[in-house]
Amino acid sequence: MRTISRRKLIKYSSVLLVSFVFLQLGINVNTISAKSTYTYNSKEFHSVINKLDMQGHADHDISTCTIKKVYYDEVLEALNEGTSEKEILQSYVDEYGQAALRAPGTEGSGMIAWIMPVIGFILGGIGVGYGIKKLTNKNASTETLLTNELPETEMKIIEQTFEEERRRHF
Amino acid sequence: MYLIGNIALILGIVISLYSLAANIVGLKRKDRRWLESARGGIMSLAFVTSIAAFLLFYILGTSQFQYQYVAAYTNSQLPLIYKLAAFWAGNAGSLLLWTFLLSIYAAIIVFNKKKQNSMIPYVSIILLLNMLFFYIVMVFNANPFEMTDTIPADGKGLNPMLQNPGMVIHPLTLYMGYVGLAVPFAYAIAALLMKKMDAQWIKLTRRWTLTAWLFLTLGNIIGGWWAYLELGWGGYWAWDPVENASFLPWLTVSAFLHSVMIQERKGMLRTWNLSLIILSYILSLFGTFLVRSGILTSVHAFGDSNLGTYFLVFMAFMMLFAIYVVATRYQLIKKESKPIEAYFSKESSFLLNNFILVAAAFAVFWGTMYPLISETITGTKVNVGAPYFNKVMAPIMLALILLMAICPLIAWQKAVFDRFIKNMLAPLLTAIAFAIILVAIGVKGLYAIIGLTVTVFMFAVHLTEFWRGICARRKATKEGFLKAAIQLTRKNQRRYGGYIVHIGIAIIAVGVISSQAYSQEVMKTVNKGETFKVGHYDLTFKNLAETNKNGNGIVYANLDITYKGKDDGSIKPEKIFYATWPEPSTEVAIKSNWKEDLYVVLSSWESKDKVTFVVKINPFVSWIWAGGIIMLIGTAIALLGGKTTSSLRVKSQQAGGQK
């Protein structure tokens, strides 16, 4: 069996190590260049930033609000480090609670915020439906619908109304 | 000055108490002399409050820094107009404004002897209670004439964000709206106290209500315009708690203005109308409470004080009092009224309209209060910001616009379905064609396209209604087109004024939907002479320069603009550094046309040659302001003309017809 001399072993190992280091560097350089594409104008950046309350500074002017600037830089940095939108938002929620976000979440207390207008709308709709039903004179409408023509008295009312309208309009 | 100011406020309490007592005694004894004396008291109150208001203007205008209020909100460098506008910059001044406006409104009500009616003493009592509350608050808690311990050399100055023409008009108009709602509220309670359950109070207050609504509309639109120009974030409505507080009574009064028509015609919905106007007034107090309590974070809040407690107690008192009066008269209110004759009628559609407006008010109220509710009940603080409101309100507003489109096509009493479809066909086809064009030219965003299509449908319906009316008139009178249009509107100011308001809303809707869905934003750091692109615009940074104005340092950038390759002039976004204010403020540069706004903010600079800009292209924002103006024109038309439809006249016609 052929043996490798100690010197050759060191030489090959060194070459392998250097190649590995370069390879790693290359990968890292590639990764960084791929991730560094995010800017303040990126869609992804806006998607994250628009969801953050930024301690009540979300609607401030970026040019005068120092807190908003800090958030902008943090989010951009996190995106460029490869952190996903979900992870960034979660990191703020971990730090500040649900108050970190501009809109309530869809769990627990946040869910109540979303669901109440819907419940209100449904209950109100039922109420109005009931109200209209109660206020509507069924006989009049049924009769009209069945005969599909207006009774004589109603025709007179309408004619008078038309006459009144005509006088008002013209 | 100090003495006169304070005497005026104390006299306010004394005269309010006297006038209240005189009204009550006069009503109890049925003695006209007491009532006349109370009337004189109200006129005196207007005089006394005017003196207090004039004094505050005077000490603000002449920079008398020995007064805390003057020192807190003005300084000697401030232009006179902003010195005077500081009247409503703080708590004490804005309370005096409330009281001043209310005293003038009350004086107008009691002044005109021709319009004297038995309701006036009751109305006076309610308005006097309001004024008494405000005088007490001013004397004991927020006195605009309070002196400083040591006279400062100069005042703190006005917040730079408030140094805008919007500051002069926006708060004033909103207060005129808020205070104006006290009048229909007072009439409603008076009607209940007198057990007069007919629609008289509605007829007497129609113009007051419409005026209050007009000012609320104006206040909200000017507020949006101000935010857009002054706050530098590129938006006009942030769903801030205090913005919401002014939007809430607007929604409920809008519902009221529609539902009163049913009471006028049919004598129906009495309880509902009373509830709506009571709710609107309570919401206006709620808005005032919200600004002063500090319970919710807001850019509009006046900061810490215990004024919130005063307002909470007063609001609770007025609410419980109103509920008590309604409850004790409920059987009377429920008196027989003419029923709706068909499900498919304008009456039903108005009920639906009321439902949607109240649902919108509920959603806004819920969203505004939820952070507080959540923290109180669950201990978890959550924010309910613009993304929440945009999602919740979008379908509600869409439904409202759709209903606005359908409503004019539905006849009173009983609509005929075939006719409805026939009338709807042309506007509907127009809207569908519009949607197809949008898709064909590559416009993206399904929800925005749906929203715009529904808005176009509503717009087309209203134009068609005008067209039909004009054609009918021309056929009957042989008038020219313009004359027929003017005469048609003049003879039916309520209806067509309302239609013009709807058209204004459609135009605003186009602006809101487009600017929300298709806004572009770019943040760019550029070197001197460098050009960057935003949409179809090319912006070239020419130079950064400095100047001085009113003792304030101004840094501005010069930018040349080309649009689609053609020269489009230049703009100068600025940053102002105030001598008396720690934070600089941004002066946005806007190049506006009918289609879009180019909105440029000078963000920061590394050197004179390297500057960062935030540039936005906001489509159709100018439509929002134009729509607002159209709404105001429509409201003015409805306000200046148009008698209320007498339910008695309708009844007599119907009785005549049935003989």
Side-chain angles (χ1 to χ4, degrees), chain A residues 57 60-72, chain B residues 583:
Chain A
H57 296 258
H60 287 192
D61 172 9
I62 177 73
S63 66
T64 50
C65 181
T66 46
I67 293 173
K68 194 169 183 174
K69 270 181 198 157
V70 170
Y71 271 88
Y72 264 53
Chain B
E583 300 283 320

Side-chain angles (χ1 to χ4, degrees), chain B residues 14-208:
Chain B
V14 174
I15 299 172
S16 301
L17 280 171
Y18 169 76
S19 305
L20 264 173
N23 266 319
I24 294 166
V25 172
L27 286 169
K28 280 244 172 199
R29 293 187 185 170
K30 291 179 181 164
D31 190 337
R32 187 106 213 119
R33 286 173 304 173
W34 279 103
L35 296 177
E36 278 297 315
S37 181
R39 185 174 162 265
I42 289 174
M43 305 293 277
S44 314
L45 268 180
F47 179 67
V48 163
T49 323
S50 301
I51 288 177
F54 174 76
L55 274 181
L56 187 56
F57 272 128
Y58 179 75
I59 61 172
L60 283 165
T62 51
S63 297
Q64 301 200 23
F65 299 122
Q66 67 269 34
Y67 292 95
Q68 272 186 13
Y69 193 78
V70 181
Y73 296 104
T74 65
N75 62 21
S76 44
Q77 274 85 46
L78 204 63
L80 181 65
I81 186 75
Y82 295 125
K83 280 184 185 173
L84 298 178
F87 192 116
W88 38 88
N91 255 329
S94 62
L95 291 176
L96 181 57
L97 179 68
W98 237 100
T99 322
F100 172 63
L101 292 173
L102 192 56
S103 70
I104 299 292
Y105 285 3
I108 293 169
I109 289 169
V110 299
F111 178 72
N112 195 341
K113 278 196 165 181
K114 279 181 191 171
K115 285 186 182 171
Q116 281 300 302
N117 62 61
S118 53
M119 292 175 98
I120 296 291
Y122 293 93
V123 173
S124 303
I125 289 172
I126 306 298
L127 296 180
L128 281 164
L129 274 173
N130 275 275
M131 280 190 270
L132 181 62
F133 166 73
F134 279 94
Y135 281 120
I136 289 172
V137 172
M138 278 192 288
V139 169
F140 296 105
N141 199 286
N143 190 336
F145 302 105
E146 205 169 328
M147 307 282 273
T148 53
D149 296 330
T150 49
I151 303 171
D154 203 353
K156 286 180 187 166
L158 192 65
N159 185 334
M161 284 195 295
L162 301 180
Q163 293 177 38
N164 178 282
M167 168 64 182
V168 183
I169 320 165
H170 164 67
L172 195 61
T173 45
L174 268 185
Y175 275 98
M176 285 174 89
Y178 279 155
V179 180
L181 288 179
V183 178
F185 169 79
Y187 269 96
I189 297 293
L192 283 166
L193 289 172
M194 293 172 73
K195 299 178 181 174
K196 286 180 81 169
M197 296 306 144
D198 56 18
Q200 194 198 0
W201 72 272
I202 284 174
K203 286 174 202 163
L204 288 170
T205 57
R206 194 183 84 83
R207 286 201 166 98
W208 283 102

